[in-house]
Amino acid sequence: MQSNRLEDVYISPSTLPWVPFSDGIRFRLLRVSPETGTWTVLFHCMPGSAFASHQHLGAGEYLMLKGKMEVRGGREAGGVTAFAGDYGYEPSGVVHEQTHFPEETEFYFTNFGPVAFLDDEGNTTSVLDWQVLASLAKG
Ligand code: ZN
């Protein structure tokens, strides 16, 4: 009998390829949801790498697995410095200037919608959503 019930998702991330994202940053795509636009990845960041300035167009949350992430310049600059074991939530609409990774870092990240990357004037230069990630992961 055909079942219309939703299926569990089970993935062993070590079986997934690392997909290049930007300079020094790569990801493993755990899941995308075409229904809601939610996407879930593991990010791996080399020491000295950074995410360009961006705005979350859907809320996001993360769990640090290893390393160190400095959001908005880190704690000394009034931002957030997250270490292994730390959890963070980022509401929809929030803008992040560069997010830095001074050490080799790995974290679980899920975003409930797209992320817009911004230039120095705050104009959108590109939009990252589940379709872009799925297409990058396909190669
Ligand atoms: Zn962000």
Side-chain angles (χ1 to χ4, degrees), residues 32-95:
V32 296
S33 169
E35 292 85 0
T36 65
T38 299
W39 47 275
T40 300
V41 298
L42 281 183
F43 275 119
H44 178 271
C45 310
M46 295 302 284
S49 63
F51 285 122
S53 181
H54 59 271
Q55 179 174 32
H56 291 263
L57 304 181
E61 56 186 354
Y62 59 84
L63 182 70
M64 296 289 290
L65 301 176
K66 155 168 137 183
K68 181 178 180 181
M69 174 167 72
E70 295 176 331
V71 183
R72 288 197 199 91
R75 193 173 295 153
E76 294 79 25
V80 168
T81 301
F83 298 94
D86 291 351
Y87 167 84
Y89 175 80
E90 304 174 330
S92 182
V94 78
V95 173

